[in-house]
Amino acid sequence: MADVRRNDDVGQYEIWLDGGRVGLTQFRVRPDGVLVFPHTEVDEDRRGQGLAGELIGAALDDVRERGETIIAQCPAVAGFIADHAEYADLQAAA
């Protein structure tokens, strides 16, 4: 079972599996508090296992719980939201 953690010190959500970080989605906080997600990556040897979707879904769940909104510049995050309409309300105006 993967574990997703928010690391505010470096501005990213990280997905951990078997004791190691295997992927991340970066964010930066705009002055108005909106989180901008520019990039997501999963280790090459872990791709194709659904980890990016698990990471992005958990990150967006945390964003919702915190009452934050996002701008999805990253194609993976934007694509995830396009495929999961229940997250569309988290998108802020660009």
Side-chain angles (χ1 to χ4, degrees):
M1 186 76 181
D3 179 35
V4 175
R5 306 172 191 168
R6 180 171 168 150
N7 185 339
D8 284 305
D9 291 338
V10 293
Q12 62 193 26
Y13 284 89
E14 304 167 342
I15 188 163
W16 291 73
L17 190 63
D18 300 328
R21 190 187 77 196
V22 296
L24 58 90
T25 186
Q26 298 172 332
F27 66 87
R28 64 178 170 78
V29 182
R30 293 192 329 189
D32 62 0
V34 173
L35 277 65
V36 178
F37 282 78
H39 177 73
T40 301
E41 64 184 62
V42 172
D43 290 353
E44 191 171 330
D45 63 332
R46 296 291 189 158
R47 293 184 184 153
Q49 300 176 24
L51 294 173
E54 188 174 344
L55 168 62
I56 294 167
L60 294 178
D61 287 342
D62 184 66
V63 166
R64 181 184 309 285
E65 189 173 295
R66 294 169 182 261
E68 298 169 328
T69 57
I70 72 156
I71 293 177
Q73 291 179 339
C74 171
V77 176
F80 184 89
I81 293 171
D83 290 342
H84 298 88
E86 65 271 25
Y87 294 106
D89 65 306
L90 294 177
Q91 295 184 99

